[in-house]
Amino acid sequence: MASPATKPIFTLPFIATSSSSSSQPSTRYSRLPFRRSTTSTPVSLKRFLLSSVGGTNTSPQETKPTILVSEKLGEAGLELLRNFGDVDCSYDLSQEDLCKKIASCDALIVRSGTKVTRQVFEAAKGKLKVVGRAGVGIDNVDLQAATEFGCLVVNAPTANTVAAAEHGIALLASMARNVAQADASMKAGQWQRNKYVGVSLVGKTLAVMGFGKVGSEVARRAKGLGMQVIAHDPYAPADRARAIGVELVPFDQAISTADFISLHMPLTPATEKVFSDDTFEKMKKGARIVNVARGGVVDEDALLRALDSGKVAQAALDVFAEEPPPKDSKLVQHERVTVTPHLGASTKEAQEGVAIEIAEAVVGALKGELAATAVNAPMVPPELGRLAVQLVAGGSGIKSAKVVYKSARDPDDLDTRLLRAMITKGIIEPISDSFINLVNADFTAKKKGLRISEERVAVDAPPGLPVLSIQVRLSSVDSKFGSAVSGGDISIEGGVKHGVPHLTRVGSFSVDASLGGNLVLCRQVDRAGMIGQVGNILGEQNVNVSFMSVGRTAGRRNAIMAIGVDEEPNLESLEKIGQVPSIEEFVFLKL
Ligand SMILES: NC(=O)c1ccc[n+]([C@@H]2O[C@H](COP(=O)([O-])OP(=O)(O)OC[C@H]3O[C@@H](n4cnc5c(N)ncnc54)[C@H](O)[C@@H]3O)[C@@H](O)[C@H]2O)c1
Ligand SMILES: O=C(O)[C@H](O)COP(=O)(O)O
């Protein structure tokens, strides 16, 4: 509830103790569906990020960061890393040895063979700043633990796409023509032409499960081979699929109509063992399966049963639930299964590309630069959150905040993780005594029992503008600036104009103030000469006014004046502003 609009003595920046109890058990977050977006981050926001992850710019006098590389990485990437830090290439470390080493490392670079568990982050004792995954799949990194420990995780999402797609196609074709089996048989001295009669690909239906980077490249190539391609991906836009002549269909339709099924989804809790007895049961008799995604998306025992029953005619597997799989694995030994030891990304070209991509991302992250491939660290400015918190009257605990995005974009194309984390950081930082960055902001808010919900409002906006404005609403709190209250909530709104975060609305007043430095907000009876009066008071104290903006509700009645000041006005100036007869309330905010 907002306090009535009384004429206040000035109010200094809000410094509060924890706004809520961390013991609150049922923090609920409402999330918008998110996808990695192509949205570019405005320059000023990027600049913010540079300082927010925490940089390590080495000068000759400073100690170089230590970068542990735990799996084989291309030489070009190692070269880049060596130019920046001390590189320790220690392959095949046991979990115990990794934990021992990690305490002295600033960065760790892994491929799929290193399990970066919670234990590793615990052993790092806060020293580890970034984990670089030289590849796409990040299922071997405990992202939750990384986030909790404030460690950035970056991956190399693009350099091995073609290699993986080519390997998928290689497996598809060699499975259909029994290439591996026939090769083994000839090497064993046999000449079995009748045994290894294959099946044709042309005219057959291929279901691509997971229509992302690799899946769509596989689809493109399969179409070139004359296959009918359908795909299932709950998040892929239909127009992207249509553009290459692929129809997106529901899961059951995909698996029940396909002759060949190629898996390209990530391993997540939602996709684990999604190919189960039930799934195989729904397939056409004699279906053939290729897996270059992750072994864990398949229930391997169920696949074995399906192969033995003849429901599945053949499988070609590059990946396994356990890698390497047990030597006596019945799946690996199966006559109708073609296997490769996780070679999808293993071409010279892909490995050089991945090594460079990850080295650049890790070095950038250590320098505190924007990590475009950050997996667990969204970025965008926290000013709105920080400003909203400063409008809360001391003593009111913030329990619930709502972030409203006004955007013309399709929800599928609006990745709000970045915005949300930045706003959350802004809200939580002033009321938390621990180090908050983009990685742990959400986690810390949750721990404090702060419920953050999101809402998306569709508006008309120029094409290419991802978000027109963002509104931050704090409910059930008193405000030290009654004019900031609208609909019972402290409500402020802002957007990015020419790369600079701007405040566009306070309560129900429109304003136009850049968000940076210090800000004096005054509500006044709207009459001529007000700007001059306040400007003079500040000028007398040598406080430089960087801008002034007046926003009204209805002309000549009430107005809000936003005054940007380079220096912090002293007590005397603030008191004088409070004494100007037309000023009904004001607040000084430090951003
Ligand atoms: N064998 C290898 O060496 C190798 C190489 C590269 C990638 N991979 C694996 O392939 C996966 C895909 O790589 P990518 O670069 O295409 O990633 P990507 O993120 O571009 O594509 C993954 C796609 O899967 C979709 N998806 C998510 N959940 C799904 C579900 N339940 N059902 C269907 N689709 C779902 C996503 O929407 C996305 O479009 C990686 O996660 C990795 O595990 C393996
Ligand atoms: O997810 C990936 O990028 C691939 O599975 C490649 O893994 P690798 O780096 O262990 O070859």
Side-chain angles (χ1 to χ4, degrees):
M1 188 95 64
S3 58
T6 48
K7 180 161 174 158
I9 327 278
F10 69 90
T11 37
L12 287 171
F14 176 79
I15 300 163
T17 49
S18 171
S19 68
S20 50
S21 135
S22 57
S23 59
Q24 188 162 315
S26 60
T27 306
R28 288 194 319 276
Y29 279 55
S30 76
R31 280 195 182 278
L32 295 175
F34 67 76
R35 289 187 37 76
R36 202 176 268 265
S37 157
T38 50
T39 308
S40 62
T41 309
V43 176
S44 65
L45 309 187
K46 286 182 184 172
R47 243 184 262 127
F48 172 77
L49 181 83
L50 306 191
S51 61
S52 69
V53 174
T56 310
N57 269 308
T58 52
S59 70
Q61 295 79 24
E62 288 168 347
T63 343
K64 285 177 157 191
T66 302
I67 303 165
L68 175 62
V69 180
S70 69
E71 288 176 79
K72 190 152 171 36
L73 194 71
E75 199 46 47
L78 288 174
E79 194 65 27
L80 279 172
L81 295 173
R82 287 190 192 110
N83 287 337
F84 181 74
D86 290 325
V87 180
D88 173 356
C89 290
S90 295
Y91 305 150
D92 300 322
L93 288 172
S94 66
Q95 185 78 4
E96 200 189 342
D97 288 342
L98 176 61
C99 286
K100 271 188 205 148
K101 263 188 181 287
I102 207 69
S104 58
C105 297
D106 299 280
L108 167 66
I109 296 185
V110 302
R111 287 179 58 184
S112 59
T114 307
K115 303 269 173 279
V116 192
T117 58
R118 177 172 289 275
Q119 220 191 336
V120 174
F121 291 107
E122 279 166 2
K125 298 194 172 79
K127 168 101 172 139
L128 188 65
K129 296 175 185 67
V130 54
V131 172
R133 161 62 171 112
V136 191
I138 28 93
D139 44 285
N140 54 320
V141 181
D142 186 334
L143 285 184
Q144 174 61 27
T147 302
E148 287 174 29
F149 283 88
C151 181
L152 186 70
V153 180
V154 292
N155 71 349
T158 59
N160 68 23
T161 301
V162 168
E166 286 178 350
H167 197 62
I169 294 290
L171 285 178
L172 179 79
S174 56
M175 170 178 71
R177 301 306 294 271
N178 302 304
V179 172
Q181 291 83 349
D183 175 77
S185 138
M186 261 191 87
K187 284 186 171 120
Q190 313 272 334
W191 184 257
Q192 298 177 291
R193 297 185 66 213
N194 293 335
K195 184 170 179 189
Y196 295 119
V197 173
V199 291
S200 200
L201 298 180
V202 72
K204 299 282 166 54
T205 298
L206 170 71
V208 171
M209 309 301 286
F211 196 71
K213 295 182 294 295
V214 179
S216 46
E217 288 305 318
V218 164
R220 225 186 278 275
R221 283 159 178 74
K223 285 193 73 75
L225 295 171
M227 301 186 82
Q228 308 289 332
V229 184
I230 53 174
H232 169 73
D233 187 322
Y235 312 109
D239 54 351
R240 186 160 60 80
R242 253 194 316 272
I244 55 173
V246 172
E247 191 194 351
L248 283 178
V249 298
F251 184 89
D252 279 2
Q253 188 182 337
I255 55 160
S256 61
T257 51
D259 304 296
F260 292 83
I261 299 170
S262 194
L263 314 188
H264 301 288
M265 68 258 280
L267 174 60
T268 65
T271 61
E272 193 174 0
K273 293 195 179 173
V274 71
F275 293 87
S276 59
D277 283 315
D278 274 359
T279 323
F280 292 122
E281 196 44 48
K282 290 175 186 158
M283 290 178 186
K284 264 185 177 177
K285 186 163 168 56
R288 290 176 164 80
I289 292 163
V290 177
N291 188 4
V292 289
R294 281 293 178 271
V297 302
V298 175
D299 177 340
E300 293 180 336
D301 293 335
L303 174 58
L304 195 60
R305 286 190 284 275
L307 280 158
D308 287 342
S309 73
K311 186 79 180 179
V312 169
Q314 287 182 296
L317 311 173
D318 182 47
V319 284
F320 304 87
E322 187 189 331
E323 293 187 356
K327 289 213 162 54
D328 60 351
S329 158
K330 288 193 175 140
L331 208 49
V332 173
Q333 303 301 334
H334 203 285
E335 166 68 4
R336 284 180 279 121
V337 176
T338 303
V339 288
T340 48
H342 202 149
L343 292 181
S346 296
T347 61
K348 282 182 185 163
E349 296 84 352
Q351 280 312 305
E352 281 305 292
V354 160
I356 293 170
E357 200 176 2
I358 203 60
E360 284 176 345
V362 166
V363 168
L366 286 172
K367 284 182 181 166
E369 286 172 6
L370 178 78
T373 61
V375 177
N376 66 338
M379 349 104 200
V380 167
E383 283 94 343
L384 280 177
R386 208 178 294 148
L387 190 138
V389 167
Q390 289 185 60
L391 291 166
V392 175
S396 333
I398 310 168
K399 293 272 191 294
S400 146
K402 184 181 222 177
V403 187
V404 183
Y405 310 96
K406 295 189 177 171
S407 170
R409 285 207 173 181
D410 190 89
D412 268 359
D413 197 23
L414 180 65
D415 187 339
T416 60
R417 290 174 298 171
L418 194 68
L419 300 153
R420 177 199 162 100
M422 292 298 266
I423 300 287
T424 306
K425 174 175 152 62
I427 296 173
I428 210 78
E429 215 163 30
I431 56 173
S432 173
D433 45 18
S434 50
F435 168 68
I436 308 292
N437 65 9
L438 300 177
V439 179
N440 65 3
D442 218 31
F443 172 76
T444 313
K446 202 171 181 179
K447 226 172 77 182
K448 282 183 166 295
L450 171 60
R451 181 180 178 272
I452 299 198
S453 59
E454 292 171 288
E455 188 185 323
R456 192 180 163 281
V457 176
V459 290
D460 280 338
L465 189 65
V467 177
L468 189 66
S469 68
I470 296 173
Q471 196 177 61
V472 177
R473 303 188 70 92
L474 303 179
S475 49
S476 311
V477 280
D478 293 334
S479 178
K480 60 171 69 160
F481 188 66
S483 311
V485 175
S486 162
D489 296 342
I490 292 181
S491 166
I492 54 159
E493 192 171 322
V496 177
K497 253 167 88 175
H498 312 301
V500 179
H502 267 244
L503 181 66
T504 56
R505 186 167 279 270
V506 174
S508 50
F509 294 84
S510 296
V511 291
D512 184 13
S514 65
L515 280 169
N518 304 315
L519 195 65
V520 179
L521 287 179
C522 308
R523 195 197 64 222
Q524 71 216 35
V525 177
D526 190 22
R527 61 168 62 120
M530 292 301 301
I531 293 182
Q533 277 190 60
V534 176
N536 283 343
I537 294 169
L538 293 167
E540 277 165 20
Q541 297 292 331
N542 258 341
V543 173
N544 193 42
V545 173
S546 51
F547 65 83
M548 277 196 176
S549 150
V550 177
R552 300 166 174 171
T553 40
R556 297 260 159 174
R557 289 222 324 266
N558 268 315
I560 277 195
M561 184 162 48
I563 308 160
V565 284
D566 290 343
E567 295 82 24
E568 185 171 341
N570 63 16
L571 202 73
E572 201 186 326
S573 314
L574 291 168
E575 275 172 348
K576 278 188 179 170
I577 292 174
Q579 283 156 10
V580 174
S582 303
I583 290 184
E584 296 188 329
E585 62 169 348
F586 79 100
V587 65
F588 171 66
L589 306 164
K590 248 181 159 172
L591 293 171

